[in-house]
Amino acid sequence: MNSSVGPISSERFRNVLRLFASGVTLVTTRTADGALHGMTVSAFASVSPEPPLVSVFIDHAHTMHPMLEVEGAVFAVNILGETQQHLSNRFAFTKDEDRFAEGRWSVATTGSPVLEEAIAWLDCRIVARHVAGTHTIYLGEVVDSSVVRADAPPLIYWNRGYRRLRKPE
């Protein structure tokens, strides 16, 4: 392999990845002092069923990053349905108002906020952190979960826009 080959540009990288469809989640946390925070995240993956592990990837520039760096930090992953685009936008773009003012929220086992009308949610405690370029990969052990609406189609993000899942006829 030629070791002089460098990485592609950020723009070229993003142009390729925009063609990879993903589900949309709200990742939420409650800090030790009781502050709530949440953000829209499509960089989420299941890792292992035994023990149950998931990962989320958070940009170092995001407000949530230092919150998750604290020892004992926790997070919940709320999987959004196709009718919840407004919540995805709210948690992606709202800056000065309470993001949690919309939706019905309750508290999971770890204290993280969970969206009662999400398709499903996973409540996690952080078991590992790995710095990866501009992001940190947070590995979460799932300590609680709920499937709220098993038949509801997920919110999909593809090619820089929201999409709907079309069931085969």
Side-chain angles (χ1 to χ4, degrees), residues 12 22 31 46 55 78 84 86 90 92 107 109 120 132 158 167-168:
R12 188 169 172 192
S22 66
T31 63
S46 64
S55 61
N78 299 273
Q84 295 174 314
H86 66 288
R90 181 176 186 82
V107 178
T109 302
W158 175 78
K167 295 181 182 181

Side-chain angles (χ1 to χ4, degrees), residues 40 85-95 97-102:
T40 301
Q85 179 178 336
H86 66 288
L87 283 172
S88 174
N89 287 336
R90 181 176 186 82
F91 277 75
F93 303 117
T94 299
K95 302 295 180 216
E97 58 186 275
D98 180 11
R99 293 176 177 181
F100 294 92
E102 287 189 27

Side-chain angles (χ1 to χ4, degrees), residues 7 9 22 27 35 42 48 50 56 62 67 77 82 90 95 100 108 111-112 118 127 129 139 150 164-165 168:
S9 70
S22 66
V27 173
S42 59
S48 167
E50 200 57 48
V56 294
H62 198 280
M67 295 175 182
V77 178
E82 71 178 10
R90 181 176 186 82
K95 302 295 180 216
F100 294 92
S112 294
V127 294
R129 297 167 177 87
L139 190 63
R164 290 181 177 250
L165 187 65

